[in-house]
Amino acid sequence: MTKDKVLNILKNTNYYVSGQSIAQNLQISRTAVWKAIKSLQSDGYNITSHSYLGYRLIETTKNLTAQEIKYFLNNHSWSDNIIVLDSIDSTNNYAKKLAAAGAPEGTAVIAENQTKGRGRLGRSFISFNGKGIYLSIILRPKVQPTSVFHLTASVAEAVAEAIEKQTGLECGIKWVNDLVVGKRKLAGILTELSVEAESGMINYIVIGIGINCLQNRDDFPCEIANFATSISSETGNYLDRNELVASILMNISDMSKSFITKRSEWMNRYKSRCITIGQHVKVLKNNGSRDAIALGIDDNAALEVEYPDGSRECIATGEVSVRGLYGYI
Ligand code: BTN
């Protein structure tokens, strides 16, 4: 796309570059260059223009944009189907419609805001306009649902690794899908799948990832203020959300190729990050709650717990949630 190519030239030039030389380089008209520059400016790129010298990129955009994500993806095969929206009810809902209409594996839907973001077990997930990452990715593994019980856990691991690499933050995982830093929730994952009735095989999977990025502590409403955090409030630094989205897409792409064949490897990485193991927890099921100790996690990412009467149970993901005995963790 012309806009992506013009952006690449501006990013690779430290000074001004003339409209003429961009046009020659890309074999397009100077009007096409001008249109691409206008469109990049409206996406939030600070580009200055000078009548003799041409164009110069002063500062990249702080908004989420497809071309910025593609720039960081650096020709990765998932660069072709990136959709960035201002606001939507839920990126998972949008991605499910695209998947049902045949969108390919790797299609990613990203929004600055969600009006009806959804969490696990029918809960809602609060979105903060322009401050988070709300991302849904379509996968199409040709297997039965029983082969992907450990997918949400593998996604959590892949996302934690991307966050750690870019920010240096140590991310833990609270079973099964919450990324935590310093006992506060940083991100959550919601996996939804559609199965073909005749074959029993997976038709598509939508992985939904919500990450708190640029919120200040006082952005969080009081119900979650003590349990939630964001990347910026943990590091004290600005975060380039486009770079993080690209890094997550690359990690999820790698994970999607190996999470079935290298299941134990993924689960070992997950287990060594999971802070729930060894903890006293409350198992919340069908409106009831039982105290237990979390003993371990199996290769389906199910949590093995022991109750005070000595009985044990393996809790499947998606079935229940666990809480620490004295709070969220
Ligand atoms: C949870 O914490 O229970 C899971 C939260 C998942 C939120 C993400 S944000 C992007 C995608 N769209 C949604 O409606 N939900 C997921």
Side-chain angles (χ1 to χ4, degrees), residues 261-279:
T261 50
K262 296 188 177 161
R263 175 192 287 256
S264 296
E265 195 185 294
W266 275 100
M267 284 301 92
N268 286 338
R269 275 150 76 179
Y270 176 85
K271 280 183 239 176
S272 57
R273 198 182 285 282
C274 182
I275 56 164
T276 308
I277 299 169
Q279 292 228 22

Side-chain angles (χ1 to χ4, degrees), residues 90-92 114 117-120 125 134-136 177-178 185 188-190 208-210:
S90 148
T91 55
N92 264 32
Q114 296 184 120
R118 294 185 290 106
R120 264 180 86 229
F125 183 82
Y134 311 111
L135 162 67
S136 299
N177 65 333
D178 284 358
K185 177 163 172 170
I189 290 145
L190 171 68
I209 302 163

Side-chain angles (χ1 to χ4, degrees), residues 61-302:
T61 182
K62 290 189 165 60
N63 303 332
L64 290 165
T65 72
Q67 61 276 2
E68 194 65 16
I69 296 166
K70 285 183 202 173
Y71 170 79
F72 287 112
L73 278 173
N74 197 10
N75 293 324
H76 187 279
S77 60
W78 279 11
S79 302
D80 290 338
N81 295 296
I82 293 176
I83 298 153
V84 178
L85 306 167
D86 268 349
S87 187
I88 190 75
D89 55 349
S90 148
T91 55
N92 264 32
N93 292 353
Y94 194 96
K96 283 200 284 185
K97 282 182 203 143
L98 292 181
E105 169 146 308
T107 300
V109 180
I110 302 128
E112 287 284 11
N113 190 38
Q114 296 184 120
T115 52
K116 280 189 186 151
R118 294 185 290 106
R120 264 180 86 229
L121 306 172
R123 299 186 189 120
S124 60
F125 183 82
I126 307 178
S127 303
F128 298 79
N129 196 358
K131 297 192 174 181
I133 290 176
Y134 311 111
L135 162 67
S136 299
I137 305 163
I138 297 173
L139 296 184
R140 293 188 179 278
K142 292 184 178 40
V143 293
Q144 296 199 319
T146 46
S147 302
V148 301
F149 285 157
H150 65 304
L151 175 62
T152 301
S154 307
V155 172
E157 176 61 26
V159 174
E161 287 176 16
I163 294 175
E164 258 180 22
K165 190 165 158 225
Q166 188 174 330
T167 66
L169 284 176
E170 261 185 47
C171 271
I173 300 174
K174 173 181 170 289
W175 186 87
V176 55
N177 65 333
D178 284 358
L179 267 55
V180 294
V181 172
K183 301 196 172 183
R184 287 166 182 261
K185 177 163 172 170
L186 186 75
I189 290 145
L190 171 68
T191 309
E192 298 183 280
L193 63 79
S194 146
V195 176
E196 224 173 62
E198 297 81 32
S199 63
M201 302 288 270
I202 290 172
N203 185 13
Y204 63 79
I205 297 179
V206 168
I207 296 167
I209 302 163
I211 308 173
N212 297 327
C213 296
L214 300 172
Q215 292 92 334
N216 297 318
R217 282 257 187 272
D218 49 14
D219 284 329
F220 294 108
C222 46
E223 333 63 280
I224 58 167
N226 290 330
F227 309 119
T229 191
S230 71
I231 292 179
S232 279
S233 55
E234 292 297 329
T235 60
N237 297 324
Y238 176 73
L239 172 87
D240 187 328
R241 291 177 300 153
N242 289 302
E243 188 177 355
L244 183 56
V245 169
S247 162
I248 289 171
L249 289 176
M250 289 190 275
N251 276 13
I252 298 287
S253 168
D254 288 347
M255 186 250 4
S256 69
K257 290 179 197 131
S258 65
F259 81 102
I260 292 175
T261 50
K262 296 188 177 161
R263 175 192 287 256
S264 296
E265 195 185 294
W266 275 100
M267 284 301 92
N268 286 338
R269 275 150 76 179
Y270 176 85
K271 280 183 239 176
S272 57
R273 198 182 285 282
C274 182
I275 56 164
T276 308
I277 299 169
Q279 292 228 22
H280 290 269
V281 294
K282 271 189 195 304
V283 178
L284 309 171
K285 210 192 245 185
N286 305 332
N287 301 330
S289 133
R290 284 182 82 182
D291 292 355
I293 294 181
L295 298 178
I297 288 166
D298 71 14
D299 270 3
N300 282 326

